[in-house]
Amino acid sequence: MYVCALRPEGEPLSKGDVFGYIARLGRRPDTSLHSLVEGPFAAVATSHPTQLRPQLGRWGNLIGAGDVRLDNREEVARLARLDAADAESDLVMVLAALDRAGEACIPQILGDFSFVAWDPRAHKLLAVRDAFGVKPLYHRAGNGLVLFSSEIAPLQFDESYDLDYMADYLTGHTAPATQTIWRGISAVAAGGLVRHRGTVQSHERFWSADRFTPAEAGDEQANCMRFRELLETGIRTRMGAPGQTWAHLSGGLDSSSVVGIASSLSGSAGLAGTISVVDSMGEGDETAYSDAVVQRYGLRNEQVRDYWAWQDNGTGAPATDHPYPMLPFHARDQRVHDTVRNAGGRVLLSGMGADHYLYGSLDYITDMASSWRVGAAVRELSTWSVATRKSFWQLGRQYLVDPFLHPRQSVPHAAPAWFTPAMSGRLGAYTGRGQSARFGGHRFARRVAAGMETLPAWLERWPYGEDVEMRYPFLYRPLVEWSLRLPAQQRVRPHARKWVLREATRDVLPDSVRTRSSKGGIDARILWSLRHEKTRIDEMLRDPVLAQLGCVDGNVLRKSVDSAARGEPAGTVALFSALSLETWLAMRSGSDARQSTVEASAA
């Protein structure tokens, strides 16, 4: 964890000037502090024995703080014109590249990273975050300083919530990736940088998915081979030291592909083990699929079985500084972390990420029609109608009629029944009063790009990052960029979503896994949890913090929870989002949260 401070007017800083912010850093008993101060800039970072890498560095005149794991260290070394062994850490390697090549080299840096670099010669600060927002980085201004931190806590001056953000969160949607629940605190955008030169601040995106559009056609066999090569590289670059790399294995296509390829690449020297979250209720049990992968490769498999929401693990929910959707399952997540860490694991591979750019949508059919390939669009729609047993006319209206009749239609977020009128008025404040469905070409690509923007909100951050690092092979940037250029029909086919991935893994996955079209879910477990933990939930909702903030009608929320517990779910995603956020608010400071200063951002 690290904190950086800049006095834009140029007056020198001392460590004492940022002591109050440093004190808010979460510190373990075995944690020490290290600092670098240079004129108007100061950086402080924590260090402890299980930390994966140093978070302060200096190269020449540049000093910086950050969490940097490079995929292309040799290439960055060439940019810096030095031997890769000459830099003591990936952070120092990046500073050396910046020193030699300037900020023009930033788009060429691949990996998971967030860092802040100060150049005293140019009086310029750069704060940079990786393309997919794997590593967090936050900033705010106040008290004559500009502050950056890998955590929100050091930047909190008070408990002032952004109610516009909360409105979108409570409907199960995501606000823009630069927004946080805290008023006045912003995140550096994924694939973005914040630049300070003197008192002037500017923002820039060096990477975004909307810069890529799919080709109309391409050699399927060659594309599958290239996809496989890139995925293999993504896995190799994310492997930790021997015996320290584990992988999630749900039995789904994505996690199974990571496990299968990792095992085929490195055999017994690769994965130390796999871990599966198993839920025997409803559609949650996928052990038949995960077992098939485990047996094929003779892997160690640990199972975290039948954990539920709001389960008491003796320690309570973790004190995170930002809510996350699956917080009520904190006992399960803690068990996953402890299982991996106690077995010597330091790296946990995840299959997350592929859904955001490989799953796709039928909007490619609309794009066909807009480019005057109407006959091909009709034939494609007929194929989907037969395969999915959906009405041709219904699909035709959705993809071939409405986009042309209503090219700028806005689809507002639906307000749940428990919203107060004031909260309903805040819906879509960050998204143009709703979800844009604009038409005008490249509809498929724009829909994928919009999904990629939500990715940082879904990446698993707790309890991983300090002593077990979650890594995402599907977020190897060359793989993502290649996939974004693939023809839509090589991603989306009836009963074969992610078609290119299925074809690229023919030799490493059991057919039962590779060809499956179903997907497990936890809806049944959530509804069971509402009944099983009724006493706990009733107490939490007796005087909910959300009602005190003016967000929800407590009586209506309680009735909706009771209805869902009786098996009458309506709007399960929004309901669970509300309970998740209420759990977080209650965890923040118990009854003290009820006296928080509430200030809404401008509508």
Side-chain angles (χ1 to χ4, degrees), residues 206-247:
F206 66 86
W207 193 93
S208 64
D210 60 11
R211 300 175 187 177
F212 302 88
T213 55
E216 291 189 2
D219 185 287
E220 291 184 351
Q221 183 177 2
N223 283 345
C224 288
M225 291 176 61
R226 181 58 178 156
F227 181 92
R228 171 66 175 270
E229 291 171 357
L230 290 170
L231 180 54
E232 288 179 353
T233 303
I235 291 171
R236 282 196 194 96
T237 58
R238 281 154 178 76
M239 297 290 287
Q244 294 186 353
T245 305
W246 283 60

Side-chain angles (χ1 to χ4, degrees), residues 2 4 45 53-57 64-68 91 113-116 150:
Y2 60 93
C4 300
R53 58 188 69 90
Q55 297 194 345
L56 288 182
D67 188 358
V68 180
L91 170 62
F113 54 83
S114 66
F115 64 86
V116 179
S150 59

Side-chain angles (χ1 to χ4, degrees), residues 263-310:
S263 300
S264 64
L265 285 175
S266 43
S268 59
L271 294 177
T274 60
I275 188 160
S276 301
V277 175
V278 178
D279 196 312
S280 59
M281 187 172 288
E283 299 177 349
D285 192 348
E286 299 186 285
T287 51
Y289 302 104
S290 59
D291 285 351
V293 177
V294 168
Q295 291 165 10
R296 178 161 183 165
Y297 293 101
L299 296 167
R300 175 180 178 180
N301 180 242
E302 299 290 338
Q303 295 185 349
V304 174
R305 180 177 289 273
D306 289 336
Y307 276 67
W308 63 88
W310 301 284

Side-chain angles (χ1 to χ4, degrees), residues 68-135:
V68 180
R69 186 201 61 78
L70 292 175
D71 287 336
N72 61 335
R73 202 168 197 269
E74 295 294 334
E75 182 179 343
V76 176
R78 286 195 293 273
L79 290 170
R81 299 183 190 175
L82 52 81
D83 189 281
D86 292 341
E88 62 188 30
S89 69
D90 285 357
L91 170 62
V92 171
M93 182 69 74
V94 167
L95 293 176
L98 286 170
D99 187 54
R100 173 66 69 171
E103 66 178 83
C105 73
I106 290 173
Q108 300 176 66
I109 299 172
L110 304 180
D112 305 331
F113 54 83
S114 66
F115 64 86
V116 179
W118 169 247
D119 184 348
R121 299 163 300 182
H123 290 274
K124 183 172 73 172
L125 176 146
L126 289 174
V128 187
R129 194 176 180 195
D130 65 76
F132 310 113
V134 175
K135 297 297 182 183

Side-chain angles (χ1 to χ4, degrees), residues 443-456:
R443 186 182 176 98
F444 177 90
R446 290 204 314 276
R447 188 85 69 178
V448 171
M452 292 294 290
E453 288 292 305
T454 71
L455 182 58

